[in-house]
Amino acid sequence: LSLDVCFEYTQQDVVAAGGKVDNFNMATAPDGAAAWTLLTTVMDEANNRVCAEVVHFSYFEVMYPTLPETGFAPNRVTRLPQQPSGLVYEENAGVQLYIPKIDLRETIVSVPLGDGGWDVRWLGDWIGYLEGTAFPTWAGNTALTGHVYLADGTPGPFVNLSSLRWGDEIYVYAWGERYTYRVQSVEFVAPGDVSVLGHEDYDTLTLLTCQGYDEGLGAYRWRVVVRAVRE
């Protein structure tokens, strides 16, 4: 995947770069690499932008510092505003997620990617496919999210997601076919860790939900991340 990626810069950025826009460069490196590879940088001074062509670049890590919140406070009611028309979730011809171990079978709906990221407040019992990641059953990293607790304070569809273990089966039903995936890992990460949306060469499911509600903070401390690869 090759993308033309651009970043806007401000006058403060120019000052920090020694007063010269030519000092702005873009570079890339694999995770954990010590050396960076300088990319061919194109200055768009008319629009205060610096651009470059990037291969296998995960733009989520730059544009969206946090993932969507996937849980409400347990055992209490959270009142939601009316869902805006531009954020309505689209059903995908009956595409479903089935996880036998946690007795979950639910419809997958598409969550649009807006300027502020993904808003999943109105998912309810549905499973949300985060648009911009690989579409379910396609090659790449497919991000699916569900609530751990619903807005009415009751358990959500992913309340037992953390109980999955290596080798557990996950199925996606689509277009009259059943696609089988096996869990490869179950992790707990920081809520803002967008590295979980990184590129994958194979058909991979990344299931996301919140974990560990902190009454003092009024928020969840962790994110459960389950990775499963298609057989």
Side-chain angles (χ1 to χ4, degrees):
L1 174 64
S2 177
L3 299 173
D4 289 324
V5 180
C6 297
F7 298 93
E8 294 184 359
Y9 59 83
T10 65
Q11 185 59 40
Q12 287 78 10
D13 295 325
V14 176
V15 172
K20 297 181 179 180
V21 294
D22 290 344
N23 288 343
F24 291 123
N25 288 300
M26 293 177 64
T28 186
D31 291 343
W36 288 75
T37 301
L38 189 65
L39 303 172
T40 301
T41 301
V42 177
M43 300 305 305
D44 180 9
E45 295 186 44
N47 295 302
N48 283 17
R49 300 192 308 171
V50 54
C51 303
E53 182 181 71
V54 182
V55 177
H56 283 172
F57 177 78
S58 178
Y59 62 89
F60 304 109
E61 296 185 20
V62 177
M63 297 177 64
Y64 304 105
T66 59
L67 294 167
E69 295 184 7
T70 51
F72 297 94
N75 306 312
R76 84 176 64 140
V77 175
T78 301
R79 297 191 179 276
L80 296 177
Q82 184 175 356
Q83 186 175 12
S85 59
L87 296 179
V88 170
Y89 310 135
E90 180 182 351
E91 294 193 41
N92 301 295
V95 178
Q96 289 190 328
L97 179 71
Y98 176 42
I99 308 177
K101 184 172 182 179
I102 60 175
D103 193 25
L104 169 67
R105 184 190 291 268
E106 193 52 72
T107 298
I108 298 174
V109 297
S110 293
V111 179
L113 175 58
D115 292 339
W118 301 275
D119 195 331
V120 301
R121 284 178 290 176
W122 301 277
L123 266 183
D125 284 321
W126 284 334
I127 304 302
Y129 151 63
L130 302 186
E131 291 186 353
T133 65
F135 191 80
T137 75
W138 292 10
N141 188 3
T142 300
L144 300 178
T145 188
H147 287 306
V148 62
Y149 277 90
L150 304 177
D152 64 2
T154 60
F158 274 0
V159 68
N160 294 317
L161 189 68
S162 62
S163 68
L164 295 179
R165 295 294 180 267
W166 184 91
D168 286 341
E169 294 178 330
I170 297 176
Y171 302 105
V172 173
Y173 289 88
W175 310 288
E177 301 287 340
R178 186 181 77 171
Y179 300 84
T180 302
Y181 300 77
R182 288 198 181 272
V183 173
Q184 302 296 303
S185 64
V186 180
E187 299 179 280
F188 294 84
V189 303
D193 187 350
V194 294
S195 67
V196 299
L197 300 181
H199 172 76
E200 297 286 346
D201 290 324
Y202 300 102
D203 182 358
T204 302
L205 296 181
T206 298
L207 310 182
L208 305 166
T209 198
C210 294
Q211 185 79 9
Y213 188 77
D214 187 308
E215 290 286 350
L217 294 175
Y220 285 87
R221 286 185 171 273
W222 305 103
R223 183 93 53 185
V224 179
V225 181
V226 174
R227 291 289 182 96
V229 176
R230 182 174 161 188
E231 290 187 335

